[in-house]
Amino acid sequence: MTGNKYVITFGLWLTVTFGAQAQKPVEYVDPFIGTTNFSVCNPGAVCPNGLMSVVPFNVMGSDLNVYDKDARWWSAPYEFNNKYFTGFAHVTLSGVGCPELGTLLLMPTAGALDVDYRHYGSTYSGEQAVPGYYANKLDKYGIKCEVTSTLRSSIERFTFRKGQGNILLNIGDGLTNEVGGMVKRVSDTEIEGFRLLGTFCYNSQAVFPMYFVMRVNKRPTETGYWKKQPTMTGVKGQWDTDNGKYKLYKHYGREMAGNEIGYYFSFDCAEGEQIEVQMGVSFVSIANARENLTAEQPTVDFDNVRRKAYNQWNKTLSRITVEGGTEAQRRIFYTALYHTQLHPNILQDVNGQYPKMESAEIGTTRGNRYTVYSLWDTYRNVHQLFTLLYPDKQLDMVRSMIEMYKEWGWMPKWELFGRETWTMEGDPAIPVITDTYLKGLRDFDVNTAYEAFVKSATTPSKDNKMRPDVDPYLAKGYIPLGLYAADQSGDNSVSHALEYYVADYALSQLADALGKKADARHFRRLSSGWHNYYSKEYGTLRPKLANGQFLTPFDPKAGADFTNAPGFHEGSAWNYTFYVPHDIKKLAHVMGGPQQFVDKLQRVFDQNLYDPANEPDIAYPYLFSYFNGQAWRTQQQVARLLEKYYKATPDGIPGNDDCGTMSAWAIFSMIGLYPDCPGSPTYTLTTPVFDRVTLHLDRRFYPAGDIVIEAPHASAQSIYIKGITLGGRRYKSYRVSHADLIKARTLRFDLTEKHQTK
């Protein structure tokens, strides 16, 4: 049985139980989509942008089930095809290609106590998942597991068979590269502690604690700690920690700290007895974790928490209504929208406190303080989606970024719970905030943001945390190979520079809007430096050496499939050559003209040089529309890519979802408009998948109200546009500004089965 079949069955149950009307957006969501094929999504229980998530953990192997001997080799707590369950992880990341978090593993067992995950793990069956709820049944014990969450807390319900039941909190194992934690007994039914996290994507950064408070709703017959003890290897002075034995401490003192520790509760259970477990978390303190739990769950009421989470999701997903299309397309669409609302996450506790950026200090916010900024990914389309559909969230996210700058002197690049991880490259906060400002959301401190942008764009390399190789970029217009990494295969000079060009173009746009004309000219000039890398010999971008010569020998296909290639990060020259979204017409000029540009871009798709699973080239299909008579190619390629790579199945996302970025590509593409130039308040138009799409805009920010997009399909082959009407008037362009779209309120496409060349 596939994942979406589980959801369909359980969705019908929810319809009856909660009195929900059929066809609500939330009912189309299948949390199992994207849980294999390296998409690293998970079907766990979480609220929109919630700090807490409760996720089934099935990536640690056992003596009987060999998937991977160590969870740290995985980047997600769950993989659809794995079936060896070792607990529920609390607070996780979705769609992220590097291991982090995935700790505080809560596991129910039955019978004699065993605290070694290689023994206590179990296969499972009967998986069910809808937004805000997950359930399975453990084959080894006959225990039914159900989990749900609030913003900062969780509640889990375990239905036991008659006999001894155990609840284990494993504080030692998980995904994070860090080790260590502490647990303290507060009472028979409550414990507290913390788990150390950090070293995300194997980058060296500060370790930080996640605090927790956990309660059970039944007094146990026995409780205690455990700790894994190392054993001698037979070589004097050497210890084997992997194969050490777990020692129980039934009558230990009130707390324990270490690397491989945990706490257990044992119960005398009646047949069918349900035990509920609540957990609150905080990145500030144990006291705040307790306050979060008490405030969000004043009573023990699993069904009430589940119902509220479900309703929150339906409200969030109802910002878009779609009509037409197939059942599978609606499932793909609303699941994609669901995935975009998992990150960023609120960071502040119920009292407003949060850990300040790169600091031991605690701040207090009146609004929402957000965290988990995968900006190298999300600056391309996720934040544009927030600006359009969730402007209140986007403003809070922008304000959070500006506060980070105030707290430590730099904008975030890939921020995680108040720590900068320095993952990926570029200066991605600039296009995010510029795009927001230019689209009319201006209730934030733009002058401080501009100050931060100029600082990162002009500070010399030795003092520049954001652009550590900026000196030659400013002096020559490009970054030579070998400056950033002595090993050329690990050098990403071209990728770095391309990101700076995009950021500086956005900065020039913001400078112009703020009346800083000289700055605008300066940064616009810098943004055109990409031409230094263009090689007429190969017709692609090509790394340059310090002496100004191109790298030789050179293979423009090297670097595909995430292999290393000189100058490029996670891609080949073909994946990056067209990534100058702010200068497409000039790029066409250096390639020999529009037709040569179009032919070369078409070659990327015809020869499978396009990578749908990574960000640098995901806007490629939309670039055809910049040239007269070529928009049909955009319509053709977008339709083909959606059909080929996005499915209502567990492998239905093409690679890492990257905090919703690949999902956002599908959402925009399915409704017929795409923000292909970050930092520019425009969209390129294409054929919507649905006959009618209604964007229910927040009137506090967009007083004109809803936008209706119509595209009646005479057949499934009606993928080409023969005419466009904007606001009731004929529209001749395939690009539309954000302001014109909002003002017009209606956008209609007349479709045909034959492509239009005019």
Side-chain angles (χ1 to χ4, degrees):
M1 185 177 289
T2 61
N4 59 305
K5 288 183 180 178
Y6 293 130
V7 173
I8 292 171
T9 302
F10 195 56
L12 293 175
W13 180 86
L14 279 169
T15 299
V16 174
T17 303
F18 295 144
Q21 296 180 358
Q23 307 305 305
K24 287 185 176 181
V26 69
E27 293 179 27
Y28 287 113
V29 176
D30 181 351
F32 290 104
I33 292 175
T35 55
T36 188
N37 192 34
F38 304 100
S39 300
V40 290
C41 297
N42 66 70
V46 62
C47 289
N49 302 104
L51 179 65
M52 172 61 84
S53 57
V54 196
V55 176
F57 199 99
N58 71 1
V59 296
M60 288 196 297
S62 75
D63 295 335
L64 300 177
N65 296 269
V66 180
Y67 298 112
D68 198 291
K69 66 178 181 180
D70 190 334
R72 293 181 182 88
W73 289 101
W74 293 81
S75 63
Y78 177 93
E79 205 283 330
F80 181 79
N81 296 299
N82 286 1
K83 297 300 176 186
Y84 187 71
F85 177 84
T86 54
F88 289 101
H90 296 76
V91 183
T92 60
L93 302 178
S94 175
V96 176
C98 289
E100 180 51 296
L101 307 175
T103 59
L104 300 182
L105 301 179
L106 185 67
M107 179 72 181
T109 69
L113 185 66
D114 189 333
V115 299
D116 187 334
Y117 75 82
R118 293 167 294 186
H119 304 157
Y120 70 62
S122 171
T123 59
Y124 56 92
S125 56
E127 278 192 297
Q128 300 171 333
V130 295
Y133 176 90
Y134 172 88
N136 67 21
K137 187 173 183 178
L138 303 185
D139 300 331
K140 185 175 181 178
Y141 307 111
I143 298 173
K144 181 178 180 180
C145 306
E146 302 172 272
V147 299
T148 187
S149 68
T150 68
L151 286 176
R152 305 169 183 86
S153 71
S154 64
I155 181 168
E156 286 118 289
R157 183 165 66 189
F158 305 118
T159 304
F160 287 89
R161 305 292 300 273
K162 180 178 176 58
Q164 179 172 324
N166 310 296
I167 292 177
L168 317 177
L169 183 64
N170 183 338
I171 302 172
D173 296 300
L175 292 180
T176 180
N177 295 299
E178 291 296 340
V179 296
M182 183 276 287
V183 60
K184 177 181 179 180
R185 179 184 182 274
V186 178
S187 70
D188 286 348
T189 58
E190 181 174 314
I191 58 176
E192 64 185 25
F194 65 82
R195 177 60 157 87
L196 293 178
L197 306 168
T199 319
F200 176 66
C201 262
Y202 312 103
N203 293 330
S204 177
Q205 77 238 204
V207 176
F208 54 95
M210 177 172 67
Y211 302 96
F212 70 90
V213 168
M214 175 180 146
R215 298 169 181 162
V216 296
N217 71 334
K218 179 182 179 178
R219 188 171 298 277
T221 57
E222 184 179 290
T223 64
Y225 302 84
W226 78 76
K227 188 177 190 304
K228 188 176 182 180
Q229 300 294 320
T231 58
M232 290 297 296
T233 63
V235 179
K236 185 178 181 180
Q238 292 188 7
W239 296 85
D240 184 347
T241 56
D242 287 338
N243 295 311
K245 294 183 178 181
Y246 292 84
K247 183 177 181 180
L248 299 179
Y249 295 84
K250 298 181 180 180
H251 305 293
Y252 189 70
R254 295 184 61 192
E255 62 189 40
M256 178 176 284
N259 292 340
E260 296 283 350
I261 63 173
Y263 195 90
Y264 69 89
F265 300 83
S266 293
F267 306 87
D268 183 11
C269 298
E271 181 67 28
E273 183 173 0
Q274 294 182 327
I275 297 178
E276 294 179 313
V277 182
Q278 297 169 297
M279 185 180 295
V281 294
S282 166
F283 284 86
V284 172
S285 67
I286 291 174
N288 279 15
R290 180 173 287 105
E291 185 176 358
N292 289 341
L293 177 56
T294 302
E296 295 186 350
Q297 295 191 61
T299 61
V300 181
D301 192 339
F302 184 93
D303 288 331
N304 184 52
V305 173
R306 176 178 60 185
R307 184 180 298 108
K308 286 183 177 180
Y310 187 80
N311 290 337
Q312 286 178 41
W313 273 114
N314 191 60
K315 181 179 179 181
T316 297
L317 300 172
S318 294
R319 291 290 175 95
I320 305 182
T321 302
V322 300
E323 302 170 46
T326 66
E327 173 79 10
Q329 287 171 332
R330 291 190 290 275
R331 289 195 173 280
I332 293 166
F333 180 81
Y334 279 113
T335 303
L337 188 59
Y338 165 82
H339 282 143
T340 66
Q341 300 307 297
L342 297 176
H343 301 300
N345 307 91
I346 62 162
L347 180 60
Q348 84 281 0
D349 296 320
V350 292
N351 61 12
Q353 292 184 333
Y354 66 91
K356 285 189 175 183
M357 185 70 175
E358 291 291 336
S359 171
E361 296 182 6
I362 302 303
T364 303
T365 180
R366 294 183 178 178
N368 284 324
R369 169 69 174 230
Y370 280 95
T371 185
V372 188
Y373 284 90
S374 179
L375 290 175
W376 182 85
D377 309 292
T378 60
Y379 88 84
R380 303 165 199 268
N381 54 29
V382 172
H383 286 283
Q384 290 87 330
L385 185 72
F386 275 108
T387 295
L388 182 62
L389 294 178
Y390 307 96
D392 52 340
K393 292 184 182 181
Q394 177 63 10
L395 279 172
D396 277 342
M397 291 173 190
V398 168
R399 295 182 190 118
S400 296
M401 294 163 71
I402 294 171
E403 288 302 312
M404 291 176 195
Y405 167 71
K406 292 179 179 179
E407 290 163 7
W408 82 302
W410 300 94
M411 281 287 179
K413 178 177 287 189
W414 214 124
E415 177 271 351
L416 185 67
F417 301 110
R419 298 293 183 267
E420 179 52 62
T421 70
W422 301 117
T423 304
M424 305 308 292
E425 55 260 310
D427 204 343
I430 296 178
V432 169
I433 296 179
T434 294
D435 188 271
T436 305
Y437 185 84
L438 295 182
K439 287 177 178 173
L441 302 184
R442 300 185 173 183
D443 188 14
F444 60 86
D445 186 355
V446 69
N447 291 320
T448 296
Y450 187 79
E451 172 190 297
F453 299 160
V454 172
K455 177 181 178 180
S456 64
T458 61
T459 298
S461 294
K462 65 182 181 66
D463 298 317
N464 198 325
K465 294 181 179 292
M466 191 65 64
R467 305 190 190 191
D469 47 6
V470 75
D471 287 352
Y473 173 90
L474 294 173
K476 300 180 178 181
Y478 71 94
I479 301 170
L481 192 68
L483 178 70
Y484 189 72
D487 176 10
Q488 288 189 353
S489 66
D491 182 284
N492 304 319
S493 56
V494 183
S495 299
H496 280 213
L498 289 173
E499 295 293 340
Y500 300 160
Y501 299 138
V502 171
D504 283 345
Y505 170 76
L507 183 50
S508 74
Q509 298 293 95
L510 181 60
D512 189 62
L514 295 176
K516 303 177 185 296
K517 303 302 181 182
D519 283 2
R521 290 191 296 271
H522 171 70
F523 293 116
R524 183 68 182 90
R525 179 185 59 80
L526 286 174
S527 73
S528 67
W530 58 265
H531 63 80
N532 287 287
Y533 289 115
Y534 187 76
S535 168
K536 292 184 178 180
E537 179 183 355
Y538 287 91
T540 67
L541 302 186
R542 182 178 175 185
K544 268 193 168 182
L545 305 176
N547 62 8
Q549 300 298 310
F550 284 117
L551 172 68
T552 302
F554 173 63
D555 178 5
K557 293 183 180 180
D561 300 321
F562 293 88
T563 57
N564 289 332
F568 299 100
H569 192 180
E570 295 185 357
S572 70
W574 285 110
N575 301 136
Y576 278 95
T577 287
F578 295 89
Y579 191 58
V580 285
H582 55 290
D583 242 358
I584 294 301
K585 293 295 181 70
K586 287 188 178 179
L587 178 61
H589 176 74
V590 302
M591 286 182 173
Q595 191 59 54
Q596 288 80 355
F597 177 97
V598 169
D599 290 345
K600 189 173 295 184
L601 184 57
Q602 186 65 49
R603 175 187 170 191
V604 169
F605 295 101
D606 293 344
Q607 297 185 7
N608 294 318
L609 301 171
Y610 173 77
D611 183 2
N614 210 13
E615 279 69 18
D617 62 3
I618 59 173
Y620 277 19
Y622 289 92
L623 304 183
F624 293 112
S625 293
Y626 280 76
F627 304 98
N628 292 335
Q630 303 297 337
W632 67 271
R633 297 179 189 268
T634 289
Q635 298 148 30
Q636 182 184 73
Q637 291 300 330
V638 171
R640 182 184 70 84
L641 295 170
L642 282 171
E643 182 177 6
K644 182 176 181 179
Y645 294 110
Y646 290 86
K647 305 169 186 175
T649 55
D651 61 350
I653 300 175
N656 292 173
D657 195 39
D658 288 328
C659 290
T661 304
M662 309 314 285
S663 289
W665 187 94
I667 292 167
F668 276 118
S669 297
M670 294 177 87
I671 68 175
L673 48 95
Y674 191 82
D676 55 82
C677 182
S680 175
T682 56
Y683 308 95
T684 293
L685 304 178
T686 193
T687 308
V689 166
F690 306 104
D691 293 340
R692 183 183 175 93
V693 177
T694 304
L695 309 179
H696 302 287
L697 301 189
D698 190 331
R699 289 181 179 270
R700 293 174 298 171
F701 304 93
Y702 301 119
D706 296 354
I707 297 174
V708 176
I709 302 172
E710 294 182 325
H713 291 71
S715 71
Q717 291 72 43
S718 301
I719 64 170
Y720 297 107
I721 299 171
K722 66 177 180 180
I724 302 173
T725 304
L726 182 67
R729 296 183 178 182
R730 192 74 171 173
Y731 194 71
K732 297 182 179 181
S733 175
Y734 285 95
R735 291 180 63 76
V736 62
S737 72
H738 177 81
D740 286 346
L741 178 66
I742 298 301
K743 180 180 178 181
R745 297 181 58 196
T746 60
L747 176 63
R748 180 182 173 88
F749 298 91
D750 294 323
L751 306 180
T752 180
E753 294 183 3
K754 296 182 179 180
H755 68 72
Q756 308 292 298
T757 58
K758 295 184 180 180

